[in-house]
Amino acid sequence: MYDKSDPRASLVAAPVAKSPVTAYGAADYLRFHEGPPQQSDALQRTWLGRGQNAVVAYSDVEAGAVFERRGQVDEWALLLPDRDGKAELVVGDATHALPGASLTFVPPGDSVLKVLQGGRIVRLFTTRSADLADASVNAAGYREPRPNVAPFAAWPAPPDGFRVRTYGLDVPDEPGRFGRIWRCTTLMVNILPVSRGPRDVTKLSPHHHDDFEQYSLVLEGVFIHHMRWPWTPDMTMWRNDEHESCGTPSVAVIPPPAIHTSRSLDPGVNQLVDIFSPPRLDFSLKPGWVLNAADYPTPAGPQGGA
């Protein structure tokens, strides 16, 4: 249920072969700001959290920090949210300069990330990166698969092959478009606009997803994540409503089919980044919403591409 001013009110749900919901999965609220990092050294502190399909790695870094991936199984994403951020990425024989306020998709295989300017970095992976999934603060909660989440399947490879692709975040808002969305074969990242002050409580957006998770990363400010699970004939499935306050940095892992909406609280700056793995088809089918749609095809078939 969206306010009529919300661009998502125009979405047409992609057809889903629905199975009966016989159990509900819990939401996870990963308040990185309250706990110790899962990985650290003299130049970086990294918090790791996961869902069924994706891992979020949030790091506070100093210049000189290095992050290596050897034999990386699939594409991953690097977000440099700070405008004065700066890094370089070595893939094969090439070194790529990465500016601040950018999102980069990194191909499978070996890579070395070198931080040149201290600040924040966010790395996004699928849970096929087992070392990071197993190191996540909430890994124990995923020893058994969560219900209602469709099995992960990567989207088609780009026609010109895998390579480093960097996109600047300075894309102006556009009427009718929701956020700033980019996708690769494994992930979709929506950098939502900065908001100032608490959200108008008369224009919230309670909605649900049939079979995929949403990862809501708080980059600035404080948000309350409101969560409700629909009643079913089986009362043993029922769950209490949740209204969880999460500061910066934090990640809410929102399971299907929980009804959810998030409300900014801080009187200053608030910003969310929404992450999906694999990419969302409904967003991808909206003309102009995915800013790099020409680089990555949608899946073949009646619901997607040709």
Side-chain angles (χ1 to χ4, degrees):
M1 182 184 300
Y2 299 108
D3 181 80
K4 63 182 180 180
S5 64
D6 192 313
R8 291 171 294 176
S10 65
L11 284 173
V12 175
V16 174
K18 295 184 181 180
S19 300
V21 175
T22 59
Y24 285 143
D28 285 340
Y29 307 98
L30 309 178
R31 298 176 176 88
F32 295 157
H33 57 91
E34 291 184 351
Q38 281 64 63
Q39 299 175 343
S40 63
D41 58 35
L43 297 176
Q44 62 87 22
R45 297 186 302 155
T46 297
W47 290 261
L48 293 160
R50 64 164 292 177
Q52 184 69 37
N53 287 341
V55 177
V56 178
Y58 179 101
S59 301
D60 287 332
V61 294
E62 301 291 338
V66 175
F67 300 85
E68 294 190 48
R69 297 301 297 168
R70 297 296 179 188
Q72 172 64 29
V73 66
D74 53 15
E75 260 188 312
W76 59 280
L78 169 67
L79 174 63
L80 299 181
D82 299 323
R83 190 165 300 279
D84 60 353
K86 187 182 297 184
E88 64 180 25
L89 181 71
V90 179
V91 175
D93 296 330
T95 297
H96 304 264
L98 306 180
S102 68
L103 176 67
T104 298
F105 294 128
V106 185
D110 297 346
S111 61
V112 180
L113 172 66
K114 300 178 181 179
V115 176
L116 305 180
Q117 175 67 44
R120 305 175 295 171
I121 67 169
V122 180
R123 292 171 297 145
L124 307 172
F125 302 86
T126 72
T127 49
R128 295 180 68 201
S129 293
D131 59 323
L132 301 176
D134 292 345
S136 294
V137 66
N138 59 333
Y142 290 86
R143 289 175 180 152
E144 297 294 331
R146 295 287 177 95
N148 310 313
V149 180
F152 175 80
W155 278 29
D160 58 348
F162 289 107
R163 59 182 175 85
V164 174
R165 301 172 193 267
T166 298
Y167 306 95
L169 304 185
D170 289 332
V171 177
D173 294 336
E174 183 177 304
R177 194 188 71 221
F178 182 60
R180 291 162 289 165
I181 302 172
W182 292 268
R183 71 170 185 245
C184 67
T185 59
T186 54
L187 297 152
M188 174 176 277
V189 182
N190 187 5
I191 313 293
L192 294 164
V194 168
S195 64
R196 299 187 182 277
R199 186 174 180 181
D200 184 346
V201 297
T202 69
K203 293 184 178 180
L204 299 182
S205 55
H207 63 285
H208 79 283
H209 310 304
D210 287 325
D211 66 348
F212 61 86
E213 301 165 310
Q214 176 174 316
Y215 301 72
S216 286
L217 166 65
V218 179
L219 276 184
E220 301 280 357
V222 179
F223 286 79
I224 288 185
H225 301 291
H226 301 282
M227 212 80 61
R228 169 170 287 182
W229 286 260
W231 287 358
T232 69
D234 181 357
M235 189 176 179
T236 64
M237 286 176 54
W238 294 6
R239 300 181 65 93
N240 293 331
D241 290 355
E242 295 177 355
H243 309 276
E244 296 285 337
S245 177
C246 293
T248 303
S250 63
V251 177
V253 183
I254 301 169
I259 300 166
H260 59 278
T261 190
S262 297
R263 178 164 58 100
S264 57
L265 287 182
D266 196 280
V269 172
N270 300 274
Q271 187 175 29
L272 276 180
V273 174
D274 284 342
I275 301 147
F276 307 92
S277 180
R280 287 180 63 160
L281 186 59
D282 56 351
F283 281 8
S284 294
L285 294 177
K286 292 291 290 183
W289 278 32
V290 178
L291 298 172
N292 67 334
D295 294 341
Y296 289 92
T298 57
Q303 299 176 26

